Amino acid sequence: MIQLAVLDMAGTTVADDGLVERAFTAAIGAQGIEFGSPDYDRMLAHVRATMGESKITVFRALLNDEEAAQQANKAFETAYGALVDEGHCAPIDGAEDAIRQLRDAGIKVCLTTGFAQTTQQRILSALGWRELADLTLCPAQAGRGRPYPDMVLRAVLDLKADAVANVAVAGDTAYDMTTGIAAGAGIVAGVLTGAHGKDQLQAAGATHVLSSVRDLPDLLLV
């Protein structure tokens, strides 16, 4: 019996619509990497491949310098936050209803992200979601971000699930799947509303692939 659903935000419950790439362009531009240059294209390909990973980890891999990575990450969070404040933030269709349906059935819900906590809270505020889930987590609150299992395991402890096998993880990226598998989740569901397609999700270990998170209650409430 599933007691806890750990759900990704951008691309899974929150529409991305290119916001990550727009914020990345602003952040990397501040490091002197021009849009359309070979270095930019190489870095953007890495960003796309590692969607779902903690953003500071991504910038560390790209820049190989801690100070530059911290600066880029701060610029990214500032740019993404500005896009949210400008109204470029919307839920995935049916996501809120799905979360409420799970909670009404007694399944606790944790929303997770690779963003910083301040950005996560801005998104939740913009959507009116501050009270929607039982728990929200970002990498800094759990230890490490995806693909490590820390956020899922922190949710298990904080929300008192009986076992990791009683957890369902859902996300739109291969890193979400890797996280769920590493945590020992009973269900690791990929959704097709974000960064990665069915083949990538299955290759990363998805136990199920859904068209959207709105289909998750049908999978769990059986």
Side-chain angles (χ1 to χ4, degrees), residues 5 11 14 27 33 41 44 49 63 75 84 103 123 126 141 144 158 182 184 187-189 207:
V14 181
I33 308 298
D41 291 341
L44 180 60
L63 300 172
V84 171
R103 293 189 69 191
I123 294 169
Q141 294 172 298
R144 298 168 296 178
D158 285 2
I187 290 176
V188 181
T207 61

Side-chain angles (χ1 to χ4, degrees), residues 107-123:
I107 295 175
K108 294 181 179 179
V109 174
C110 174
L111 293 175
T112 63
T113 184
F115 298 149
Q117 185 179 9
T118 53
T119 303
Q120 183 185 43
Q121 292 304 312
R122 287 169 91 163
I123 294 169

Side-chain angles (χ1 to χ4, degrees), residues 145-198:
R146 307 182 191 105
Y148 299 103
D150 300 27
M151 288 193 288
V152 176
L153 298 178
R154 172 69 184 270
V156 169
L157 293 173
D158 285 2
L159 296 176
K160 297 179 172 56
D162 292 342
V164 291
N166 296 77
V167 178
V169 171
D172 65 297
T173 71
Y175 274 38
D176 291 304
M177 304 302 96
T178 304
T179 291
I181 295 297
I187 290 176
V188 181
V191 298
L192 300 176
T193 52
H196 294 159
K198 182 177 180 180

